Amino acid sequence: MYQIAERYPLDGAEMREIYCRTLEECMEADPAVVALDADLMTPLGIAGLWKKRPERIFNCGIQEANMVGVAAGMAREGKKPFVHTFGVFASRRACDQIYMSCAYGGNSVCIVGSDPGVASALNGGTHAPNEDIAILRACPTMTVVEPADAQTLRCLIPQLAALPAPSYLRLFRRQRPRIYPETETFSIGKAKQLTQGEDAAILACGIEVYEALEAAARLEQEGIRVRVLDLFSIKPLDTQAVLAAARETGAIVTAENHNILGGLGSAVAELLAEECPVPLERVGIRDQFGQVGPMDWLMEHYGLTAGDITEKVKRVIARKGKK
Amino acid sequence: MSREKKTVWELERFALEIRRQTIRELHSLGSGHVGGCMSIVELLAVLYGERLQVDPANPRWEERDRLVVSKGHAGPAVYAALALRGFFPLEQLETLNRPGTKLPSHMDAQKTPGVDMTTGSLGQGVSAGVGMALAARMDKRSCQVCVVAGDGECDEGQVWEAALFAAAQGLDNLTLIIDQNHLQLDGSTDEVLSLGSLEEKLRAFGWQVLSVEDGHSIPQLRQALSAAWSGKDGRPTAVVLNTIKGKGYPAAMRGPNHHMIISDGDFEEAMEALAQEEQRLREREEAAGCTR
């Protein structure tokens, strides 16, 4: 079904394996790195590391607010905490703790929210974080990132540990296609350009990067050349790359596994409206709650597939030059 | 920074001065959280007078005892204690809540020398204190972490999450002091949300619990805090202080005092009451044959 499946094969390791392995490396390199969880160590695959390093990894039980507050206190004392729970609880349940004890209080904690958007799949609407980017992007000093593949994740973790202010890592736990070679490096705030093109640009993050690449491949067969940008760093946004894409292609499509209100599409729209207004179409969940279902079905239901992106690209190109 | 031994009189005079400076500070602004500031004045006198090992010349000294005042609205009283202790000039107290101040209404560790944690959203300072105690234990530091919370603040579920976690971690370098003044913004704690016995609850959560019958009595506070600092039995310690919200500010006794307008008349009345109290302390001190 996917034309690009051979070029970007499924990674042998799950994202959570990469997360745990990289975090362990960070712990070995830096005694200040610690991890906290709220009874979701098993789904994250970190339970083994917890047994191995009980002095550095703490299971707080099912209490997200306290976990984030404890992490803030540890950060105050020079620790570098990584705090994990499902994205819904990380962003909604512990929002005030992230805002006041971490960000406003100047305490650098990396909040890891797993199972973004449709990745909540069979856990359903109660567990679908469709608004976590919006919530945390509005918090001053926060960095918000969503990696598309294992290599991106691997590179981001040590950078998140070193940040002077809190951050949010939107983590897909299972296998992802390998988009980048193992030699690729990433910097927070700097987008990655994956394809060349002048007709339009697709700006995507997380699982939508692969969909964007597939859309670009399909469009190329119709003679439409599209630039794909991986905006894994949603905040800070690579304004230079976004504005260059707008100026050089004149048509932008954003794609995110998130509500179109407040997420990547909003961030791009805000920038373009102020600096370089060009036709824009947003692919994302259109202000709806999540629901239970297999991820593929949910992607189709909410219009997050390569096919949906392809249609939006055609529509945005048709709008070029019109008042 | 060895702990200085103080006499009871010295600490009582220190408390009186904290109260006087806090009222001046709030009066200079015209309004503020009088009630919750006044109820912890004697506690602050014992903490900053002798209990906390801190260095005003080096507020971030690594081995210092940490104090997290989770009831962040008591900032003005803490600022008065910090200024009197030499963390910053007394004149700075009159910058309270002014544009660009280092002394905001609710406490900010990034702005005020001597403030160890930003607080204001109730309940959060308790968790932060637990995290600081956990970090201190990891780093094998001998310092103590002390958290001050209000009784109304204990409505917050986060306080109980933190209480459960601190006990499970066996953080005996942590002391939680609860300012039990039986009042919160909308009325008495019984009217708003009955707390029952905080002592029994905390004991059931696995804490060592001490009660102070009169949270404005310097000797009682000294004894309880000394026991809390030395009681190393693998449990965190809670000290429940019975206090009077607004204590020592006469106008506060005439109605709701969580946040009040401070009129010139009420201010003068308070200054006069404090002058009389100072005279009483002096006479008692002389009668007991103490020397300055």
Side-chain angles (χ1 to χ4, degrees), chain A residues 218-248:
Chain A
R218 290 183 196 174
L219 287 160
E220 194 171 16
Q221 289 184 334
E222 299 178 36
I224 300 169
R225 288 174 49 82
V226 173
R227 177 183 304 187
V228 173
L229 284 184
D230 176 359
L231 292 183
F232 63 88
S233 178
I234 298 152
K235 186 185 176 185
L237 194 67
D238 186 344
T239 54
Q240 228 178 343
V242 174
L243 290 173
R247 287 194 190 106
E248 290 160 22

Side-chain angles (χ1 to χ4, degrees), chain A residues 90-105:
Chain A
S91 62
R92 302 205 299 251
R93 192 150 191 154
C95 178
D96 191 34
Q97 285 73 20
I98 295 172
Y99 195 100
M100 196 205 79
S101 288
C102 299
Y104 184 78

Side-chain angles (χ1 to χ4, degrees), chain A residues 10 23 55 79 86 114 120 125 144-145 151 164 170-171 174 201 207 243 274-275 290-291 294 304 314 320 322:
Chain A
L10 216 53
L23 191 63
E55 77 291 350
K79 302 294 176 213
F86 286 151
S114 58
S120 56
V144 179
V145 295
Q151 180 58 18
R170 204 169 192 242
L171 180 68
R174 303 188 188 282
I207 62 169
L243 290 173
E274 284 185 346
E275 302 283 338
Q291 63 183 302
L304 305 180
K314 288 179 181 169
K320 275 210 250 187
K322 286 186 185 165

Side-chain angles (χ1 to χ4, degrees), chain A residues 34 55-56 58-60 63-66 69-70 72-74 76-77 79 96-97 100-101 103-107, chain B residues 60 66 108-110 116-121 124 127-128 130-132 134-135 138-139 141 158 161-162 165 169:
Chain A
V34 297
E55 77 291 350
R56 302 277 287 281
F58 303 92
N59 200 330
C60 298
Q63 38 167 254
E64 296 77 15
N66 179 56
V70 167
M74 296 182 88
R76 189 92 216 131
E77 295 297 319
K79 302 294 176 213
D96 191 34
Q97 285 73 20
M100 196 205 79
S101 288
Y104 184 78
N107 299 308
Chain B
R60 294 263 171 256
R66 270 68 167 171
D108 190 328
Q110 298 198 93
D116 287 321
M117 187 71 197
T118 298
T119 53
S121 179
Q124 296 193 29
S127 297
V130 171
M132 291 161 96
L134 192 56
M138 284 178 73
D139 293 343
R141 285 198 298 266
Q158 187 174 354
E161 291 184 2
F165 182 70
Q169 290 290 331

